[in-house]
Amino acid sequence: MDIVKEVLEKQQQNLQKYKPITVEKTLEPKIDVGHMMVSDPNYFNDEEMKADREKYVLDLTRDNVQLLINSIWQLPTERVEESIVAKLPPPKAPLPRARKLPVPKPLTKWEEFAKKKGIKKRTRDKKVFDPVLDKWVPTYGYQRYKAEKEKDWVLEVPQNDPNRDMFKEKRDLRIERVAKNEVARMKNIARAKKIATPRTGFVGPESASAKQLITASNIAKASTASVGVFQESLPKDKQARGIGVKELLPGEKRKKKISTIAGEKRRNMEIVTKVLNKKPKIDIDRAISLQKSEARAEREADEGGDDGSRKKKKSGKKSKTFSRKKPKGGQGKRNPNKRAVGRKRR
C-alpha cells in the first residue's frame, strides 16, 4: 500500500506542474489573431504583485499566451510537409509601419527594351561541356576565368610581332568590359533616381554613337580660352542639332529669355534712378581734421604778428659753426680684414 501511495503522490505532483488549458478572467481579453496579439484589460492584483512580482507576471503571461493558442487552434488547419499549419485571418488592429511601403524596382534600359519587344529572359545552364578541356566548366564566375586561363595557355601573335603581348591585351579587354558594365549600371541607377548625367562619358569611339561624338567635339571647342571663337573647324564638321558652343558652357541655358520693350524700359529707369539718387560720400573724420588744422594755422598767424613787433632783426653774416660727428665705438666687434691705421702699440 505504501508503494501505491507513493506512486499516486508522485503522479499528483507531476500533474501540478502542468496547468489546465482553460483560463478564466473577469473581463474577456481582446485577441487579434492576425497580429498574434492579446490585450488584457484586467487590473493587476497588488497583493500578489508585492508578494512575488516575477511569479505573478510569469503566470499572467502564461494565461494570456494560452488564450492566444486556444484561438489559433480554433482556426482551420492543413498539413504541409508533415506539419500542421493554420491560416491566420486578416489583422484587426491597424499598426503603424516603421518604414514606408516598398516601391517596385525601376526597370533598366535593357529590361524596358525587352518588355517592349517581348523578349523573355533565357535561363543559362550553370555548366557546359568544353570539348577542348574535355570536362564540364561553369558558364560564369571565377571558376570560368580559371577554365579560360587553362584553355588559352598559348595565344597566336599576329604578324609575329615580338613587342605585342596578347595576354595583356586580353586582360585589358576584360577590364574594359567590366568598366563598361559598371558605367551602364551607374547610368541605370541615375536614370531611376532622375539624376542628370554628363552628355559625354562613352567608353571609346567604337561604342560611341555619332551624336555623342559630335557633342564631345563641340564641348572640346568650347574649352579654349576664346570659348571656341578662334577655333578652326574640321573638314565636314557638323554641330549637334540644337546645340551650339555657347549653349554647352556650364550655367548657360539653351533657351534665352525674350526681351520685351516694357522690360527693357523698366531696367533703364532703374539704372537712371540709381545714378541720380547717388549721394556723395562724406568723410567726417577728414573734415574734422581739416577744420582743426585751419584753426591752428589762424591761431599761429595771430601769435606770430604780435611777437614780430617786439623782436628786431639781426644783421650781418652768420658765424660758421663747425660740428663733427660723434665717434662710434666698435661695440665689441672687430673686422680682421680691415687694416689698422696709425702707429701700432706694443
Side-chain angles (χ1 to χ4, degrees), residues 275-291:
V275 171
L276 293 178
N277 293 341
K278 192 174 182 181
K279 296 180 181 179
K281 295 182 179 179
I282 299 173
D283 194 350
I284 299 174
D285 297 336
R286 187 177 181 186
I288 292 172
S289 62
L290 288 174
Q291 186 178 2

Side-chain angles (χ1 to χ4, degrees), residues 313-324:
K313 294 181 180 179
K314 294 182 180 180
S315 58
K317 295 182 179 179
K318 295 182 179 179
S319 60
K320 295 181 180 180
T321 57
F322 297 95
S323 62
R324 61 178 180 178

Side-chain angles (χ1 to χ4, degrees), residues 247-264:
E247 294 168 352
L248 291 171
L249 295 176
E252 292 286 337
K253 294 183 179 179
R254 293 191 178 184
K255 293 182 180 179
K256 296 183 178 180
K257 295 181 180 179
I258 301 172
S259 59
T260 58
I261 298 174
E264 188 175 357

Side-chain angles (χ1 to χ4, degrees), residues 2-3 41 47 72 75-76 97 117 121 165 169 183 216 233 243 270 288 308 314 325 342:
D2 295 336
I3 298 173
E47 295 179 358
I72 292 174
L75 298 174
R97 288 181 60 87
K117 297 295 182 179
K121 188 176 181 180
D165 190 356
E169 290 183 8
V183 169
S233 59
I243 300 175
E270 288 178 358
I288 292 172
K314 294 182 180 180
K325 293 182 180 179

Side-chain angles (χ1 to χ4, degrees), residues 90-304:
K92 299 177 182 178
L95 297 178
R97 288 181 60 87
R99 298 179 181 179
K100 63 179 182 179
L101 291 170
V103 296
K105 189 177 180 181
L107 300 176
T108 61
K109 197 171 182 180
W110 163 250
E111 289 174 350
E112 291 178 357
F113 178 77
K115 186 178 180 181
K116 184 178 179 181
K117 297 295 182 179
I119 302 173
K120 294 183 179 180
K121 188 176 181 180
R122 184 177 57 185
T123 56
R124 294 191 300 172
D125 296 331
K126 291 185 178 181
K127 287 187 176 183
V128 293
F129 185 78
D130 194 343
V132 177
L133 298 176
D134 196 16
K135 64 178 182 179
W136 292 86
V137 296
T139 54
Y140 53 87
Y142 72 97
Q143 295 289 347
R144 171 71 177 178
Y145 175 71
K146 287 184 178 179
E148 288 182 357
K149 193 175 180 181
E150 184 181 353
K151 181 180 177 181
D152 300 334
W153 62 275
V154 62
L155 294 174
E156 182 182 359
V157 180
Q159 298 178 359
N160 295 328
D161 190 359
N163 298 323
R164 193 168 180 182
D165 190 356
M166 298 304 298
F167 292 100
K168 184 177 181 300
E169 290 183 8
K170 186 177 180 181
R171 185 168 59 253
D172 293 343
L173 286 174
R174 179 174 171 272
I175 294 171
E176 185 179 354
R177 187 168 61 252
V178 172
K180 183 180 176 182
N181 294 336
E182 181 66 17
V183 169
R185 188 181 71 84
M186 297 301 292
K187 282 186 177 181
N188 288 331
I189 295 172
R191 184 171 61 254
K193 294 185 177 181
K194 297 181 180 180
I195 300 173
T197 54
R199 281 167 288 189
T200 56
F202 50 87
V203 179
E206 295 84 4
S207 60
S209 62
K211 187 177 179 181
Q212 287 177 332
L213 291 172
I214 293 170
T215 305
S217 175
N218 291 342
I219 292 175
K221 284 183 180 179
S223 301
T224 58
S226 61
V227 198
V229 176
F230 303 104
Q231 188 73 13
E232 296 181 0
S233 59
L234 300 173
K236 297 182 181 180
D237 191 10
K238 295 181 181 180
Q239 284 192 351
R241 187 177 297 176
I243 300 175
V245 174
K246 292 183 179 180
E247 294 168 352
L248 291 171
L249 295 176
E252 292 286 337
K253 294 183 179 179
R254 293 191 178 184
K255 293 182 180 179
K256 296 183 178 180
K257 295 181 180 179
I258 301 172
S259 59
T260 58
I261 298 174
E264 188 175 357
K265 184 178 179 181
R266 180 177 53 79
R267 286 193 297 271
N268 293 336
M269 289 300 296
E270 288 178 358
I271 294 170
V272 171
T273 306
K274 189 175 181 180
V275 171
L276 293 178
N277 293 341
K278 192 174 182 181
K279 296 180 181 179
K281 295 182 179 179
I282 299 173
D283 194 350
I284 299 174
D285 297 336
R286 187 177 181 186
I288 292 172
S289 62
L290 288 174
Q291 186 178 2
K292 287 181 178 180
S293 61
E294 290 177 0
R296 191 184 303 109
E298 291 178 0
R299 188 169 59 253
E300 290 177 356
D302 295 341
E303 291 177 358

